[in-house]
Amino acid sequence: MGFARTCSVALVGVEGVVVEVQADLEPGVAAFTLVGLPDKSLTESRDRVRAAVVNSGAEWPQKKLTVGLSPASVPKGGSGFDLAVAAAVLGAAERIDPRTIADLVLVGELGLDGRVRPVRGILPAVLAAADAGYRQVVVPEQTADEASLVPGVSVLGVRSLRQLIAVLTDEPVPDEEPTEEGRPDAMLAGLFVPGAGIGTGLAADPAEGPDLADVAGQHHARRALEVAAAGSHHLLLSGPPGAGKTMLAERLPGILPPLTRQESLEVTAVHSVAGILPPGEPLVRRAPYCAPHHSATMQSLVGGGNGLPRPGAVSLAHRGILFLDEAPEFSGKALDALRQPLESGHVVIARAAGVVRLPARFLLALAANPCPCGRHTLHGAGCECPPSLVRRYQARLSGPLLDRVDLRVEAEPVTRADFLGQGGRGESTEVVAERVREARARAADRLADTPWRVNSEIPGHELRTRYHAAPGALAEAERDIERGLLTARGLDRVLRVAWTVADLAGHDRPDHQDVALALEMRTGVARGVPVGTGARA
């Protein structure tokens, strides 16, 4: 009788659970039994592992073989267990020393020829192994750079099962023929899932992306864009078609600061699990940008799929931007499903196969026309939409959802002077991004000893009791509450925006004009604040 064990990782959403892979050989009719709640793709590993072991020059044991995956109550899926199953079988057959694999974590798919193919979710898998105390992992060679992002873990990248056997038995490591330059590498197919990232893209470098200076006019909207980036405030741009709402939203990623190391790991983990991590870029350093089509379903936005839910658009936009163009055209269920992640920064999805908690702290940018034809706010433009249709169209963005949007700005039609450049070009992305970085740095210094990073994350109670505005600065906001123009949540959001405006203006705390500007961008009621005050246009 032979017995060996090693470890692999099962992913539940973007979190990993270390799984012990045990192999037991007993006398009897040759058979291969796999137990431990495997799914279809994992059950098929019996044939892949058997062929890979034989084609790697090792002998397949002709005994009764049982492979168990513990804990048995955790659902396990995918082909990433192949390498661990093969190592456990070879250890039980004494082809390799069982002691050398007992504390190893192995993740990778096996081809029938014994090559090790990369799989999705390597980063969260290695993070789970490190949190569980494991310090040695074996992964496919193509994903070794991704696994090496986790500190304190020794990573071994292998191209084939033959190489792994040689390393574990102190034999000469055979050379595997690399893919010829210019030829497609079929081994990378497992890293990218076509269609999984529709509407999702990693923001380009600001020097290569679209420039904010290309936007004609829109001084108030540009100011709101800067405030949104500096404090990570949710933004609604409304106005007629052609005003530049989509152009502004597409330039928002360029003025966001680069991700911190911790944020980069969080974003990379989500994109790795979703199968949209660009090959050759193991670490995502720029904020992601996700812009799904308005026909997107609720499941595609918050997460879903067969079995355990997969990350949706809100998770793919984690630490970045979720842009919903033509927002009223989205289904009401899909829009209202955003309310919970907007408040909590994560989404909890319950399905028959289990409950998954996915990260979803994003900046929401909405663009909307005033009516179905888009000409309702234009004088003499010939809008023929009846008032009842206009009200129904605008009501598609529910009150509870809009109450969670900090900035609501009207994008005015572009004037002839602005369009022809007679008023001068607006500031470039580089100039605005520098101000945003300075404002974020001021907020970071103020929040250094707290769990929050930007102004939009500060709880309302802390704003009112710990971070005080200048004396008399909130008088106008208090009157708006009495008039019913602001809710209690709305006042908290006005205070957060006021702190961001103060950071952009270099003020120690919000004064009367900072609060007035925050109120104007929240309620749409003009407060007499000049365009260049606070966050400059």
Side-chain angles (χ1 to χ4, degrees), residues 218-294:
Q218 300 301 347
H219 304 295
H220 290 282
R222 290 169 60 98
R223 176 177 58 183
L225 205 71
E226 183 176 341
V227 173
S232 193
H233 302 288
H234 306 308
L235 170 68
L236 167 63
L237 295 170
S238 58
K245 303 185 296 295
T246 304
M247 286 185 66
L248 286 164
E250 289 175 344
R251 285 151 179 77
L252 184 53
I255 63 177
L256 289 178
L259 299 175
T260 64
R261 174 73 178 186
Q262 180 60 35
E263 291 172 342
S264 294
L265 290 176
E266 294 174 7
V267 174
T268 302
V270 175
H271 283 68
S272 178
V273 170
I276 58 174
L277 193 64
E281 297 182 20
L283 185 64
V284 178
R285 292 182 172 86
R286 301 293 309 174
Y289 175 78
C290 186
H293 190 259
H294 60 255

Side-chain angles (χ1 to χ4, degrees), residues 362-381:
F362 56 90
L363 191 164
L364 177 64
L366 304 169
N369 293 329
C371 68
C373 75
R375 300 191 297 270
H376 177 66
T377 57
L378 299 178
H379 298 292

